[in-house]
């Protein structure tokens, strides 16, 4: 990524449907620009309250999200999907763990060029929300990364790297310290917008118009 290229910071978690919808909104805003913004991606863990010390998820933990919450979320997802003209195979992915995908994404961001990371990032969103696939599956992640231009073997090594896993979890904590309480959060030049906001909202965030 060019050092002088304009960037927008995005905090997101692949299992968040509003992150997928927010990226579609960003894509629609990008289409109106002469020069595309680069995405400075930061991982966020929606499962943090349920995550055990070893990184696995304890689904028995009550995080305050009951059936009524999920039904309301599904309705909001469907409404925004209609607004943004996207088709989604899933409304909610409550049982999917995105930690493996975020580890691979972080690895690619650090060790490959921007285009490789972006291709993988977009493929993970599509695999989950358009195809209903399990993005916690190592074989799927290796395939998606290979399609993006990385080596499948290095992806498997990254998933086995405990130091890298801990680094990603530190990034989760860092996001919380920076005041990120929900995703997606878009940030630009000291200002932020949270949620799957419409393209014109992102335009105001970036261009102040």
């Amino acid at each position: 990524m060019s050092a002088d290229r304009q960037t927008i910071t995005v905090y997101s978690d692949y299992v968040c449907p509003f992150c997928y919808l927010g990226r579609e909104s960003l894509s629609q805003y990008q289409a109106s620009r002469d020069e595309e913004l680069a995405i400075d991606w930061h991982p966020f863990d929606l499962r943090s309250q349920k995550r055990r010390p070893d990184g696995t998820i304890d689904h028995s933990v009550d995080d305050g999200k009951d059936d009524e919450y999920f039904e309301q979320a599904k309705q909001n997802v469907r409404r925004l999907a209609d607004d943004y003209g996207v088709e989604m195979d899933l409304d909610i992915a409550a049982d999917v763990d995105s930690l493996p995908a975020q580890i691979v994404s972080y690895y690619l961001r650090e060790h490959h060029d921007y285009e490789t990371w972006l291709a993988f990032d977009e493929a993970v969103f599509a695999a989950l929300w358009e195809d209903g696939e399990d993005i916690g599956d190592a074989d799927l992640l290796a395939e998606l990364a290979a399609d993006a231009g990385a080596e499948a073997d290095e992806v498997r090594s990254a998933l086995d790297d405990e130091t890298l896993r801990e680094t990603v979890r530190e990034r989760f904590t860092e996001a919380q310290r920076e005041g990120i309480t929900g995703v997606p959060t878009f940030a630009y030049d000291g200002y932020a917008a949270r949620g799957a906001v419409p393209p014109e909202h992102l335009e105001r965030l970036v261009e102040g118009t």
Side-chain angles (χ1 to χ4, degrees):
M1 178 173 14
S2 173
D4 60 356
R5 186 174 178 181
Q6 273 188 294
T7 64
I8 185 169
T9 299
V10 181
Y11 293 84
S12 66
D13 186 339
Y14 292 114
V15 295
C16 170
F18 300 103
C19 291
Y20 172 71
L21 291 162
R23 285 293 294 276
E24 174 59 29
S25 175
L26 178 58
S27 294
Q28 292 181 16
Y29 164 53
Q30 296 267 41
S32 72
R33 292 177 52 86
D34 293 331
E35 182 178 355
E36 191 168 290
L37 289 166
I39 296 169
D40 179 21
W41 170 76
H42 292 256
F44 188 87
D45 188 15
L46 286 178
R47 308 283 192 253
S48 60
Q49 291 178 288
K50 294 188 171 188
R51 203 171 291 286
R52 301 183 182 97
D54 66 356
T56 59
I57 294 175
D58 182 355
H59 290 286
S60 68
V61 173
D62 182 8
D63 60 359
K65 297 177 180 178
D66 56 14
D67 291 342
E68 183 179 352
Y69 169 88
F70 284 114
E71 184 54 41
Q72 183 62 52
K74 288 178 182 179
Q75 292 178 18
N76 290 337
V77 167
R78 293 167 191 152
R79 175 180 58 80
L80 286 170
D82 287 342
D83 288 347
Y84 297 158
V86 299
E87 294 186 9
M88 298 175 66
D89 184 73
L90 300 175
D91 297 318
I92 296 291
D95 296 328
V96 177
D97 185 7
S98 64
L99 180 57
Q102 300 216 60
I103 290 170
V104 176
S105 191
Y106 188 85
Y107 171 82
L108 294 177
R109 193 190 74 161
E110 295 298 303
H111 297 282
H112 284 266
D113 59 28
Y114 174 75
E115 286 69 24
T116 298
W117 168 80
L118 182 62
F120 175 79
D121 173 81
E122 292 176 342
V124 171
F125 274 121
L128 177 59
W129 296 109
E130 296 173 22
D131 302 329
E133 298 190 78
D134 179 7
I135 60 168
D137 181 75
D139 290 336
L140 173 64
L141 295 174
E143 178 184 338
L144 297 179
D147 289 344
E151 296 291 334
D153 288 345
E154 66 177 318
V155 168
R156 297 182 191 281
S157 296
L159 287 170
D160 291 335
D161 186 337
E162 289 301 323
T163 300
L164 178 60
R165 181 176 294 261
E166 184 56 33
T167 297
V168 171
R169 295 185 71 178
E170 287 172 0
R171 297 289 83 77
F172 294 156
T173 302
E174 183 179 282
Q176 292 177 327
R177 283 200 303 265
E178 291 174 353
I180 306 301
T181 58
V183 286
T185 293
F186 301 92
Y188 186 86
D189 197 25
Y191 296 92
R194 180 176 143 189
V197 295
E200 56 269 24
H201 195 144
L202 294 175
E203 181 181 9
R204 287 195 299 271
L205 174 68
V206 174
E207 302 176 28
T209 57

